[in-house]
Amino acid sequence: MNTVTLAFPLALVLGSALLIGVGLCVFRLLWVFLGIGVRAVWLGLGPWQTGRSDRRVPVVGKGEPAQLGYWWRQMWVDAVSAAGYGMRVVWTAFSDPWMGRFVRNLFHGRRPSGIRGSSPGSRFWMVVFVAPGVALGALLGAALATVVLGVVHAVFALLLGLVWLGCATAVPVLRGAERGWLLVRRVRVKCPYPGCYQPVPLAVHRCPTCRAEHRGLRPGRYGVLWHACTCGHRLPTTRFGGRGKVTALCPHCDRPLPETAGSTRVVHAPLVGGTSSGKTMLMAAMVEGLHAWARRGDLTIEYASADDRRTAGDLNQELKQTGWAHATTGGQPRALMLTVGRGRRRRLLYLYDPMGESVSDAERVRAQHYLAHTDGVVLVADVLAEPKVRGQLSADDAQRAKAARPSPQGPWETYQRLIGELTALAGRRGRLSVATVVTKRDVLDQLGSLPVAGARIDSWLEEIGLGNLVRALGHDSRSARYWAVSAHAATGTGPLEPEQRRAAEPVLWLLAASGLKTGALIGPVDQGEGR
């Protein structure tokens, strides 16, 4: 009887507490704690005020002046810190005010607000029935809110994992797509500056806002589509996204590269010949010839940089004032860069004008590292420098030839010193195309001791005693073609446009070998084709 008597009030108290706790949890406290938790998670993702510091964001390192991509690390840091903060806030609210104030006041016979019960009965009711129910409801609400938030966080973590996986997959896909595009278009960037000439797999890009130098501007941990510079400026990571518009520098010598270097196939064409063979004047005539074709609407041509425009302008001004170009000096040459287009295709043309002494011996030839990137050679042949040719001249013609400043090194000697080292430097790319240009045509036409240079320049070379050169070119080169040009007639004051266009034909022939459709601009095969 006593046991039944004691069990009934205990069951009544427990039942009431359970009923109050469950009802309070389901209809109020679960949602209160969920609201507190969600709001805390949202605030934990902050700070939401612009300019406020955040300890979770790592300081930008010295290697790359860009923030790590949000997908790489920061989204996980934010998600974990915000989720943890939300959980802590829920249990902090459970501890105080619910347990620390509300339940404690109820156990002392006071209302949750702290006001003492109005009668002994009401105080008894709050202490015995309400206080345990509220404590149970608060515990159940906090626990269930934690479980719900945990499930939401798990789903959110799964979504973040999918985002991370998508970004991680996009990095090699974008890199591979750009690499494949470059391979298909056969774009290989090389530095055009003396003392460097190194391949440039990835240029250094300078931020247009703060001038910081980004050495890893490509899809990766610093960003998939763009990198955020320390100054806040966004830099595109791919050529498709506009990276080519950002100033690019050579990573080896830190000098600027042309804007089209990373998107346009480069054709390297050195002009090789002895001192005073007419290389510089021929290069000026070639450039003027390309402009002549452009004026007819058959080509588009642009200087790759302001320095190239200035170099070409200074050379033309010198030719107009003196009629001659000073001998090239200063060691290894800087390429004169032109963007040449026909139809929808373009090529970035590198024209090298080395000093004549660079081919005076094998060791100096080996020092011309740009030859390793050569797509085709323009062999500048001053036949007046060849002893066999000078031996055929009459006294008057010999005086005219001397006035033309012949090179101390003939074309056959130049070729012999060049070909072996050039083949070694070119390596696995095999034999090269050689455009042989006989210079000083205006002087040659005045020499009655020599036969007239007709349509077949290769046959004419054989006739004047340079058949060994023609045969060697036919054997060593992939293809060879011959021209005779008067650079004087194509440059300076009162240039002849037909001669300018003819002076450009050797370059157009080399460009045609790279896939640019310039073959139609070149004269027919019987006007100098060697093989």
Side-chain angles (χ1 to χ4, degrees), residues 92-369:
T92 299
F94 167 77
S95 176
D96 185 21
W98 285 95
M99 296 300 295
R101 281 188 290 160
F102 298 160
V103 173
R104 184 178 179 181
N105 286 336
L106 288 171
F107 273 116
H108 285 81
R110 298 186 181 91
R111 298 177 184 276
S113 61
I115 300 174
R116 185 177 178 80
S118 58
S119 64
S122 64
R123 291 196 292 272
F124 176 79
W125 173 260
M126 285 187 287
V127 172
V128 175
F129 295 101
V130 178
V134 173
L136 179 61
L139 179 62
L140 290 174
L144 288 176
T146 301
V147 171
V148 173
L149 287 175
V151 172
V152 172
H153 291 156
V155 174
F156 187 65
L158 179 61
L159 295 176
L160 288 182
L162 293 175
V163 171
W164 189 94
L165 184 62
C167 292
T169 303
V171 168
V173 168
L174 289 174
R175 287 189 184 185
E178 185 168 24
R179 180 61 178 165
W181 182 80
L182 294 175
L183 287 175
V184 169
R185 297 175 66 94
R186 301 181 67 181
V187 176
R188 299 180 182 89
V189 183
K190 306 294 190 302
C191 179
Y193 294 100
C196 187
Y197 305 125
Q198 295 293 319
V200 182
L202 181 64
V204 176
H205 292 85
R206 181 177 286 164
C207 176
T209 303
C210 68
R211 314 295 287 175
E213 295 182 356
H214 296 252
R215 295 184 174 270
L217 189 58
R218 59 178 179 175
R221 61 177 179 163
Y222 292 99
V224 178
L225 299 178
W226 59 76
H227 287 187
C229 184
T230 51
C231 68
H233 189 83
R234 286 183 174 182
L235 302 173
T237 60
T238 64
R239 177 67 55 177
F240 312 119
R243 189 180 62 197
K245 298 178 181 179
V246 182
T247 301
L249 310 174
C250 173
H252 307 287
C253 64
D254 292 329
R255 285 177 281 189
L257 297 172
E259 182 178 326
T260 56
S263 61
T264 306
R265 181 176 173 181
V266 181
V267 175
H268 300 262
L271 281 72
V272 179
T275 304
S276 190
S277 60
K279 298 187 309 301
T280 304
M281 292 185 65
L282 177 61
M283 185 176 73
M286 287 176 168
V287 173
E288 288 303 305
L290 291 173
H291 282 290
W293 284 110
R295 287 192 293 271
R296 287 168 55 112
D298 295 299
L299 291 176
T300 59
I301 180 169
E302 297 177 359
Y303 291 102
S305 68
D307 288 340
D308 297 299
R309 185 183 298 276
R310 190 180 307 112
T311 299
D314 292 343
L315 178 57
N316 287 333
Q317 188 66 26
E318 180 184 350
L319 290 173
K320 288 179 181 179
Q321 291 177 352
T322 66
W324 291 93
H326 293 300
T328 305
T329 58
Q332 295 185 343
R334 175 193 181 276
L336 177 66
M337 295 174 286
L338 303 163
T339 302
V340 183
R342 181 166 170 81
R344 298 180 61 182
R345 297 185 180 183
R346 296 192 304 171
R347 294 292 182 268
L348 179 57
L349 177 63
Y350 282 24
L351 287 175
Y352 298 92
D353 177 24
M355 60 182 184
E357 293 82 358
S358 63
V359 290
S360 61
D361 57 63
E363 184 177 352
R364 290 188 175 183
V365 173
R366 284 194 294 271
Q368 309 303 308
H369 300 297

Side-chain angles (χ1 to χ4, degrees), residues 412-488:
W412 174 237
E413 184 182 358
T414 299
Y415 180 76
Q416 285 180 305
R417 292 175 176 174
L418 170 70
I419 187 59
E421 301 303 327
L422 180 60
T423 302
L425 288 168
R428 59 188 178 90
R429 290 187 295 119
R431 298 188 298 173
L432 301 172
S433 299
V434 179
T436 301
V437 182
V438 175
T439 53
K440 306 177 183 178
R441 174 74 182 257
D442 52 326
V443 177
L444 292 172
D445 288 343
Q446 300 174 23
L447 304 180
S449 306
L450 296 178
V452 177
R456 293 294 301 249
I457 302 301
D458 54 335
S459 300
W460 178 78
L461 288 172
E462 291 178 343
E463 190 175 354
I464 65 174
L466 286 172
N468 51 354
L469 176 62
V470 175
R471 289 188 294 272
L473 285 169
H475 177 269
D476 298 330
S477 63
R478 179 185 302 167
S479 58
R481 189 158 177 172
Y482 303 83
W483 286 264
V485 172
S486 171
H488 267 296

Side-chain angles (χ1 to χ4, degrees), residues 484-499:
V485 172
S486 171
H488 267 296
T491 58
T493 304
L496 302 176
E497 188 163 304
E499 192 66 17

